[in-house]
């Protein structure tokens, strides 16, 4: 069986800074990493390969340097990888991204399972996974927190919802989006790192796929960013300094009185 | 199809065992504000195996002008294919201009699955919604780039304009007197009920009281330093009848489990009282708690961001302050609440 793992390269969110004047993101000097939540998808794919035997294909869409994310996936245990990289894709929203990735998957051919991370830490939408499934007309299992088994062309999983976990099954082919609880990502092995170093990631262009150019990029995207701004946060804080042991008592007293007054104790 | 052929605002009302969930009423609050600005109708759609009339009437009392209840045993639990097939069918038939769903496990699956098919624009996890006066377009505002910025998104040309809305980001709508509306019950075509995903059972959460429903929350940040120190925070929480929550740092270190996580990548909470212990106040975390009514922060760093959103702050060592707080509260011999209850 073939398992496809779509990955995204994202900026290290903690290091993202804003240009206060223009309201845009400063990208220079920001480190790029593999989307942390995609590591759980890679790990589950590797575990399925170990259990049932599979060919693992990593794919990504992004600038040429996104090949680094795919190399990292190979160092963990993904067998082969393709990067969809084309200037025509710049500015694609989730609809256009899912459309392009689905076309790429169609080009790769038969597959049994597509495994995605729940969402990417930069865009934070979690939409692309279900959208790919929808375009490919396959079922989707979101928020998978536990894999049970594959039996007679059917996969059994647990799906995390607000009140607990659903036990679900889906016929194959299907698409899973996974949450952290599903697996414990392994570290790359030395052998994997050597393999990744030697691997050249093929770069696929839009005209190699059956893609309608008017459906991709900024122009093809249904949504537009109208503006971005910094969230305003401010309250008047009654601040007590209690680093000195003698100040602790009075500060805690004041807090108790404050909460009492508000009827919060 | 022209944009002008689309009208009305829809919300997806979610139900469990035939009872409407809180998110349904939160979406009515959102929908009413938008419908008023656009002078259009507000419609609630419900998928279920069957909902009593009394329950559907509540949607009307709380702001819906129309309720479309789609009923079939296959719709008892959320299944992406039949839910999406029904929604697509309704979109074609009624042409809503806007569809709002909760950013819940259901909404965040159903909406992208449906939007793809409808070639519609979809914005995830909105915290503010408005109507652009010049164009009548929906303005959808959401935290972006890990919560560092807010982005306002619009869908200028495609219809419907679809958005998921962060649960607990607004108050649920209250019933109003003398509201009238129409209830339409639909038995969907069996062809729409095909599902390759099968529902086989359910394992409820062990902890009964989710942090999202708690009136009081004690929340630990990285300043708690190690797993063993969580006990101290738990003691304070028990003392005041609060639930225990954590920042992403704490959950990533495995000191508390993911359901405790509050912030952009965890839950949004709006408790009456939030007490942050050793919480620095990263914007990602603030995005999940700044709507709390009263915010108390204890942190050793006087410059910690958390103090900017706090009502009451103590600058000091949590390992000295928290035991003193517990003693103070116990000394006042206030009734001790049951663990985790609210």
């Amino acid at each position: 069986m073939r398992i496809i793992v779509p990955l995204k390269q994202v900026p290290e969110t903690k290091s993202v800074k804003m240009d206060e004047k223009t309201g845009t993101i400063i990208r220079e000097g920001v480190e790029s990493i593999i989307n942390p939540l995609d590591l759980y998808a890679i790990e589950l794919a590797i575990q399925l390969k170990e259990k049932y035997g599979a060919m693992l294909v990593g794919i990504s869409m992004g600038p040429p340097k996104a090949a680094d994310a795919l190399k990292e996936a190979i160092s963990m245990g993904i067998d082969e990888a393709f990067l969809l990289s084309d200037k025509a894709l710049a500015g694609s929203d989730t609809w256009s991204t899912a459309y392009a990735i689905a076309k790429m998957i169609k080009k790769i051919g038969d597959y049994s399972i597509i495994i995605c991370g729940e969402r990417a830490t930069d865009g934070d939408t979690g939409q692309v996974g279900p959208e790919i499934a929808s375009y490919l007309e396959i079922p989707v299992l979101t928020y998978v927190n536990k894999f049970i088994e594959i039996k007679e062309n059917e996969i059994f999983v647990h799906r995390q919802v607000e009140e607990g976990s659903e036990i679900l099954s889906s016929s194959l082919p299907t698409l899973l989006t996974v949450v952290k609880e599903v697996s414990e990502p392994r570290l790359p092995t030395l052998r994997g790192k050597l393999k990744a170093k030697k691997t050249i990631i093929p770069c696929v262009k839009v005209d190699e796929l059956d893609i309608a150019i008017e459906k991709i990029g900024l122009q093809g995207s249904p949504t537009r960013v109208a503006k971005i701004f910094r969230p305003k946060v401010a309250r008047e804080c009654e601040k007590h300094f209690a680093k000195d042991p003698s100040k602790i008592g009075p500060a805690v007293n004041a807090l108790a009185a404050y909460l009492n007054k508000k009827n919060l104790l | 199809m022209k944009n002008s052929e689309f009208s009305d605002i829809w919300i997806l009302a979610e139900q469990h065992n035939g009872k409407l969930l809180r998110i349904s009423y939160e979406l009515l609050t959102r929908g009413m504000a938008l419908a008023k600005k656009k002078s259009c109708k507000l419609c609630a759609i419900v998928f279920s195996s069957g909902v009593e009339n009394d329950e559907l009437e509540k949607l009307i009392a709380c702001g819906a002008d129309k309720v479309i209840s789609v009923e079939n045993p296959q719709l008892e639990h959320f299944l992406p294919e039949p839910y999406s097939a029904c929604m697509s069918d309704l979109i074609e038939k009624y042409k809503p201009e806007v569809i709002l769903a909760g950013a819940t496990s259901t909404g965040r699956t159903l909406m992208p699955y449906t939007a793809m098919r409808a070639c519609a624009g979809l914005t995830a996890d909105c915290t503010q919604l408005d109507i652009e006066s010049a164009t009548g377009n929906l303005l959808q505002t959401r935290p972006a780039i890990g919560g560092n910025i807010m982005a306002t998104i619009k869908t200028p040309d495609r219809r419907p304009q679809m958005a998921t809305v962060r649960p607990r980001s607004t108050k649920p709508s209250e019933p109003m007197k003398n509201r009238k509306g129409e209830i339409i019950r639909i038995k969907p075509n069996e062809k729409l009920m095909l599902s390759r995903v099968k529902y086989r059972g359910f394992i409820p959460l062990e902890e009964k009281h989710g942090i999202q429903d708690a009136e009081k929350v004690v929340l630990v940040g990285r300043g708690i330093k190690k797993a063993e120190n969580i006990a101290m925070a738990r003691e304070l929480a028990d003392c005041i009848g609060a639930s225990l929550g954590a920042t992403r740092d704490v959950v990533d270190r495995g000191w508390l489990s993911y359901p405790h996580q509050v912030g952009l990548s965890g839950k949004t909470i709006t408790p009456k009282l939030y007490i942050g212990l050793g919480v620095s106040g990263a914007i990602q975390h603030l995005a999940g708690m700044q709507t709390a009514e009263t915010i108390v922060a204890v942190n050793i760093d006087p410059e910690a961001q958390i103090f900017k959103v706090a009502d009451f702050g103590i600058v000091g060592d949590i390992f000295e302050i928290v035991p003193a707080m517990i003693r103070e509260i116990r000394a006042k011999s206030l009734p001790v609440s049951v663990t985790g209850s609210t």
Side-chain angles (χ1 to χ4, degrees):
Chain A
M1 95 178 143
R2 192 193 257 144
I3 298 175
I4 296 176
V5 185
L7 305 169
K8 188 176 186 189
Q9 190 181 48
V10 298
E12 230 295 5
T13 45
K14 278 179 189 157
S15 62
V16 168
K17 291 199 172 60
M18 291 277 299
D19 184 324
E20 299 281 348
K21 277 185 192 149
T22 61
T24 55
I25 305 146
I26 302 169
R27 292 194 184 268
E28 289 87 54
V30 177
E31 201 191 333
S32 288
I33 55 168
I34 195 163
N35 172 36
L37 295 168
D38 292 345
L39 299 175
Y40 302 89
I42 296 170
E43 176 61 33
L44 177 61
I46 298 169
Q47 287 177 14
L48 294 182
K49 174 180 174 161
E50 286 167 351
K51 200 164 176 189
Y52 302 99
M55 172 76 184
L56 308 184
V57 183
I59 58 170
S60 189
M61 175 175 134
K65 72 167 183 170
D68 294 344
L70 290 167
K71 286 198 169 200
E72 194 180 330
I74 286 176
S75 71
M76 283 175 71
I78 293 286
D79 296 304
E80 63 170 338
F82 300 93
L83 174 67
L84 175 56
S85 187
D86 200 310
K87 285 208 167 75
L89 293 160
S92 293
D93 72 354
T94 67
W95 194 100
S96 295
T97 300
Y99 168 76
I101 292 175
K103 289 290 190 187
M104 173 104 158
I105 290 171
K106 282 195 169 183
K107 171 92 171 179
I108 289 169
D110 284 342
Y111 55 87
S112 299
I113 309 172
I114 301 170
I115 310 178
C116 303
E118 181 214 328
R119 63 195 148 76
T121 53
D122 58 347
D124 240 327
T125 72
Q127 289 176 180
V128 172
E131 285 176 337
I132 291 172
S134 179
Y135 193 81
L136 294 172
E137 297 181 327
I138 59 172
V140 64
L141 298 162
T142 49
Y143 305 100
V144 170
N145 59 1
K146 193 176 179 182
F147 166 76
I148 314 275
E149 61 173 345
I150 297 171
K151 209 168 72 184
E152 289 158 11
N153 206 43
E154 195 163 22
I155 186 167
F156 292 76
V157 299
H158 288 186
R159 172 175 184 258
Q160 184 178 293
V161 296
E162 287 73 11
E163 307 291 322
S165 291
E166 295 175 344
I167 305 166
L168 300 174
S169 70
S170 167
S171 61
L172 301 181
T174 194
L175 185 144
L176 273 52
T177 76
V178 299
V179 295
K180 282 179 186 170
E181 284 74 9
V182 83
S183 65
E184 193 73 45
R186 68 191 67 191
L187 293 169
T189 60
L190 186 61
R191 227 174 100 193
K193 278 185 180 171
L194 287 172
K195 187 187 169 196
K197 211 175 167 185
K198 278 189 286 182
T199 307
I200 295 164
I201 309 286
C203 179
V204 179
K205 295 283 167 194
V206 161
D207 59 16
E208 295 171 57
L209 304 174
D210 173 31
I211 282 180
I213 201 87
E214 69 277 8
K215 290 186 177 175
I216 56 165
L218 190 62
Q219 285 315 306
S221 295
T223 63
R224 293 274 184 288
V225 177
K227 65 166 180 176
I228 58 174
F229 58 98
R230 275 188 92 80
K232 272 184 242 141
V233 287
R235 292 192 197 204
E236 285 297 315
C237 182
E238 179 182 337
K239 220 189 241 177
H240 292 252
F241 290 84
K243 283 192 182 175
D244 185 323
S246 69
K247 303 273 173 64
I248 294 171
V252 169
N253 256 318
L255 173 61
Y258 177 83
L259 294 178
N260 241 336
K261 198 176 80 192
K262 291 199 156 197
N263 218 2
L264 286 168
L265 280 182
Chain B
M1 204 148 24
K2 290 203 182 82
N3 284 354
S4 58
E5 290 175 29
F6 290 80
S7 62
D8 295 352
I9 288 168
W10 282 15
I11 63 120
L12 175 72
E14 288 188 43
Q15 58 81 31
H16 183 68
N17 290 332
K19 295 282 172 239
L20 293 161
L21 304 180
R22 177 190 157 113
I23 185 71
S24 313
Y25 300 104
E26 292 178 14
L27 292 171
L28 285 175
T29 301
R30 299 283 191 178
M32 271 196 294
L34 299 176
K36 196 176 165 195
K37 282 201 172 164
K38 286 204 69 102
S39 308
C40 69
K41 292 244 182 335
L42 176 61
C43 171
I45 56 173
V46 192
F47 298 117
S48 72
S49 57
V51 178
E52 299 289 333
N53 233 34
D54 291 357
E55 199 67 9
L56 298 178
E57 296 279 2
K58 284 185 198 164
L59 291 169
I60 290 172
C62 291
D65 301 301
K66 187 156 84 177
V67 174
I68 300 176
S69 177
V70 187
E71 299 169 9
N72 186 285
Q74 181 79 318
L75 301 173
E76 182 180 359
H77 306 286
F78 170 65
L79 291 172
E81 291 162 285
Y83 268 57
S84 181
C86 288
M87 195 184 238
S88 301
D89 198 50
L90 292 176
I91 291 171
E92 260 179 51
K93 201 163 160 190
Y94 294 97
K95 299 184 178 55
E97 194 177 2
V98 170
I99 306 177
L100 308 178
T104 58
S105 59
T106 295
R108 294 190 83 156
T109 308
L110 173 62
M111 293 288 270
Y113 206 74
T114 308
M116 196 70 197
R117 215 171 282 181
C119 294
L122 171 61
T123 305
D125 216 11
C126 300
T127 52
Q128 293 165 41
L129 294 167
D130 203 352
I131 299 292
E132 190 175 46
S133 41
T135 60
N137 284 332
L138 182 65
L139 296 172
Q140 307 153 100
T141 300
R142 66 183 300 262
I145 325 283
N148 285 289
I149 54 168
M150 301 295 282
T152 301
I153 315 282
K154 53 181 174 178
T155 303
D157 304 318
R158 314 269 190 99
R159 294 294 179 267
Q161 306 163 85
M162 298 172 72
T164 58
V165 180
R166 185 152 257 240
R168 304 265 166 178
S169 61
T170 192
K171 295 242 183 300
S173 176
E174 299 283 342
M176 290 161 273
K177 274 183 190 157
N178 303 323
R179 276 197 50 88
K180 290 208 165 49
E182 182 189 6
I183 294 176
I184 304 168
R185 289 183 188 265
I186 293 177
K187 299 272 176 231
N189 189 317
E190 283 298 326
K191 267 189 270 175
L192 303 176
M193 294 298 105
L194 299 176
S195 180
R196 289 168 286 183
V197 174
K198 299 208 161 40
Y199 185 94
R200 299 191 178 267
F202 189 76
I203 305 159
L205 269 185
E206 280 170 29
E207 284 171 73
K208 256 184 159 175
H209 296 277
I211 190 169
Q212 280 189 303
D213 294 318
E215 285 196 354
K216 298 176 192 173
V217 172
V218 169
L219 205 127
V220 292
R222 193 154 45 162
I224 200 80
K225 288 188 180 147
K226 52 183 175 182
E228 295 85 81
N229 296 335
I230 300 282
M232 175 183 85
R234 197 180 291 278
E235 196 181 343
L236 176 65
D238 289 350
C239 231
I240 59 168
S243 286
L244 194 61
T247 61
R248 181 174 173 169
D249 272 328
V250 168
V251 171
D252 280 352
R253 283 171 174 73
W255 299 341
L256 276 169
S257 61
Y258 179 68
H260 293 90
Q261 190 172 319
V262 170
L264 199 63
S265 49
K267 297 201 169 80
T268 300
I269 55 170
T270 313
K272 282 192 175 145
L273 174 64
Y274 167 106
I275 301 180
L277 306 176
V279 174
S280 62
I283 284 188
Q284 290 92 325
H285 179 65
L286 300 187
M289 49 62 73
Q290 60 192 338
T291 50
E293 276 178 37
T294 299
I295 297 174
V296 174
V298 185
N299 198 301
I300 193 89
D301 174 12
E303 300 303 318
Q305 289 295 315
I306 189 78
F307 289 122
K308 293 206 170 132
V309 300
D311 301 290
F312 194 103
I314 298 180
V315 179
D317 183 350
I318 56 168
F319 301 104
E320 292 173 357
I321 309 287
V322 175
M325 282 164 74
I326 294 169
R327 278 196 302 274
E328 175 81 17
I329 293 161
R330 292 231 168 103
K332 294 217 151 119
S333 70
L334 289 151
V336 177
S337 308
V338 182
T339 307
S341 74
T342 52

